[in-house]
Amino acid sequence: MFTKPSSSNAVVLKRSGHSPVTDVSWSPNGDLLVSCCGADTSMLVWDVAMETAVPLRRVAGGGIVFARWSLDASKIFAATSSIIFRVWDTQTWTPERWCARGCRVVAACWGPNDVVLFAAKGEPMVYALSNTGLLNGAKTSKAQPVLDVTKVELPSGDSVGGPILDMCWDKNGRYLAILFEESYLVAVFCTTPLLMQLKITPCCFVCGIEDELPTAMAFQNNFAEDACLTIAWSSGRLQHFPIVYGM
């Protein structure tokens, strides 16, 4: 017999010294959960069914602020509270250590072919890392700048761009959405991998109603058409923004 568990059967995952939790992220197939704590240098990988966790610990860099799984679950991007970030290989559970140029990483998102895009606090620049040779034909020791989003004024008088607050990339690698620290507009870009580079071109802007500010966003993973971006606005409103091109 299968029954719906009551609220009293909720699983509580706790570990001493791992508080406050700043981010949680499920693996794409839902078998593992990663939790992060800005005051803990260990990233915890939970087997939720068994209620057990394995710590992935590296001392340098400080606490882990957030983590992002790659689309095939083979890698995890882990950002610390300092300029250091790591890319973990989930087959061997070994990390590559990287350093951001000036400030800590505030946003990161994975696309197809194990390409990860990221941005540092206070910078209007998107960087990319790839182990597949997409960006420069070979694995590199330096992240590649792929998009400059310096603030500009639109013909309408609105401003968009500047320091990046958050980013998300649809699973097919066709659309990249960006939130900014100093703009109420969400910028959407078209992305296309071309031989040894990643082509990124402007697509559209999404604005809220009256004085709304965008606070969070995500692409729907099972959208049947091109892509659907869901945006949470400061008023509490949720907006679904489908991007569909006719043939």
Side-chain angles (χ1 to χ4, degrees), residues 14 23 25 53 55 58 74 96 99-100 126 138 141 149 182 191 203 211 234 245:
K14 284 187 69 174
D23 188 49
S25 180
R58 289 295 184 274
S74 66
E96 285 185 349
C99 290
V126 177
S141 60
V149 288
E182 304 168 355
T191 57
C203 176
D211 297 326
S234 56
Y245 283 96

Side-chain angles (χ1 to χ4, degrees), residues 74-75 87-89 96 98 110 113-116 128-141:
S74 66
K75 295 178 176 62
V87 180
W88 288 82
D89 184 323
E96 285 185 349
W98 295 80
W110 289 91
N113 303 315
D114 276 355
V115 176
V116 61
L129 289 175
S130 173
N131 287 340
T132 62
L134 171 67
L135 298 176
N136 60 0
K139 185 176 176 179
T140 179
S141 60

Side-chain angles (χ1 to χ4, degrees), residues 49-69:
M50 298 297 294
E51 300 183 30
T52 58
V54 175
L56 301 179
R57 179 177 173 81
R58 289 295 184 274
V59 176
I64 311 299
V65 179
F66 69 84
R68 299 288 182 267
W69 291 82

Side-chain angles (χ1 to χ4, degrees), residues 107-111 116-119 125-127 146-149 164 166-180 186-192 198-204 217 219 227 229 243:
C109 49
W110 289 91
V116 61
L117 304 179
F118 67 92
M125 184 68 69
V126 177
Y127 297 91
V146 292
L147 179 63
D148 186 339
V149 288
I164 294 171
D166 197 10
M167 302 188 301
C168 63
W169 205 1
D170 83 292
K171 67 174 184 177
N172 295 317
R174 296 178 181 174
Y175 302 99
L176 173 69
I178 301 180
L179 297 187
F180 303 100
V186 178
V188 180
F189 295 85
C190 296
T191 57
T192 308
L198 181 67
K199 182 180 179 181
I200 304 178
T201 55
C203 176
C204 61
M217 60 183 181
F219 279 103
L229 178 66
I243 308 171

Side-chain angles (χ1 to χ4, degrees), residues 142-160:
K142 183 186 295 185
Q144 305 295 313
V146 292
L147 179 63
D148 186 339
V149 288
T150 299
K151 182 184 286 188
V152 296
E153 184 173 322
L154 302 176
S156 63
D158 299 314
S159 295
V160 65

